[in-house]
Amino acid sequence: MPDMPRLAAGNWKMHGLAADLAEARELAATPPPQGVEVLICPPATLIARMAGALAGSGLRVGGQDCHAAAKGAHTGDISAAMLSDAGATHVILGHSERRADHGESSAEVVAKARAAWAAGLVAIVCIGETEAERAAGATLEVVAAQLEHSLPRGATAANAVVAYEPVWAIGSGRTPGAREIAQVHAFLRGQLPDRGIRLLYGGSVKPDNADTIFAIPEVDGALVGGASLKAADFGAIIAALGRN
Ligand code: 13P
């Protein structure tokens, strides 16, 4: 299989009203660098309008979660087919905020990823250790177990992406050192069922650390939270991915 493009994915989390589509339109005005794929995952209410705003730009739209069932009596939930119908091509699954806020287990993430595949979506499966787990020297053990239990059999470079997001680095302005990220990514690469599955780093990726992070071997892109909300910042991160 040819090499997959590197991926800059923005996770807007619970941010974004219609007026914020202007940021996406501004971002879409500059074509991504060669070999770089760009994805924005807005809140569900904006997916369809985001797809419209990005139409023709090559930038893609994703969801932040889906239900494991195809349909049914699940008030407030969204199915993978609904995301696809609204214009999404990807869905983030098992983000640490969902694991913490909603008690989501790795077994549920597997079921959701299967539902995503059934709807033709690429599943972006998130894993990462807490600060206590890192302090205890358990990082590799924790991420290996999460990967094994969160990624269904049948994951390939075409239908899955793995995002390594240390929980303590999310929204904190702190990141692991380059050697630590390199160690985890090299380790995860060896655990993947298909070595072509892209491995993203996530957690306080900003314009001023993007070059350092993207130069690390085995880092195929980033899952970006806060810095993806502003076109200038996310654009600078995308440009850094293009030159590293
Ligand atoms: P920040 O980039 O805001 O740290 O968030 C990272 C993240 O959780 C992306 O999914």
Side-chain angles (χ1 to χ4, degrees):
M1 182 189 293
D3 276 356
M4 299 294 288
R6 303 179 96 200
L7 176 61
N11 175 7
W12 279 21
K13 308 190 180 185
M14 201 170 72
H15 300 284
L17 300 173
D20 298 299
L21 292 169
E23 296 293 332
R25 284 195 197 91
E26 185 183 328
L27 193 71
T30 308
Q34 189 78 22
V36 174
E37 193 171 52
V38 177
L39 172 72
I40 303 178
C41 301
T45 47
L46 285 184
I47 290 175
R49 280 175 286 177
M50 179 72 79
L54 300 181
S57 69
L59 275 60
R60 294 166 176 276
V61 185
Q64 298 178 10
D65 175 51
C66 70
H67 198 278
K71 61 171 121 170
H74 301 290
T75 302
D77 277 314
I78 295 180
S79 75
M82 290 168 187
L83 295 177
S84 170
D85 188 49
T89 53
H90 295 61
V91 60
I92 298 169
L93 296 174
H95 191 283
S96 61
E97 287 153 15
R98 292 209 58 86
R99 293 180 190 259
D101 292 358
H102 300 275
E104 224 172 86
S105 67
S106 292
E108 285 173 279
V109 176
V110 163
K112 290 178 176 206
R114 291 212 174 96
W117 293 348
L121 299 176
V122 176
I124 302 178
V125 173
C126 303
I127 59 175
E129 84 285 1
T130 63
E131 188 152 35
E133 288 163 343
R134 176 164 283 270
T139 298
L140 297 184
E141 192 184 315
V142 166
V143 296
Q146 280 186 338
L147 184 68
E148 186 190 344
H149 296 117
S150 305
L151 196 64
R153 251 176 239 283
T156 67
N159 66 19
V161 173
V162 171
Y164 167 57
E165 300 203 302
V167 177
W168 54 274
I170 294 174
S172 66
R174 298 159 57 211
T175 64
R179 280 180 42 198
E180 284 147 342
I181 295 174
Q183 183 198 24
V184 175
H185 277 240
F187 172 76
L188 289 173
R189 179 76 64 202
Q191 307 287 309
L192 291 172
D194 171 345
R195 292 178 73 89
I197 291 174
R198 286 168 288 178
L199 277 175
L200 309 184
Y201 168 78
S204 297
V205 177
K206 306 287 177 202
D208 64 5
N209 62 18
D211 277 300
T212 306
I213 289 169
F214 294 143
I216 299 170
E218 313 295 352
V219 172
D220 302 318
L223 184 54
V224 183
S228 72
L229 295 169
K230 292 286 167 215
D233 289 346
F234 197 31
I237 291 168
I238 292 163
L241 189 54
R243 65 177 169 258
N244 280 284

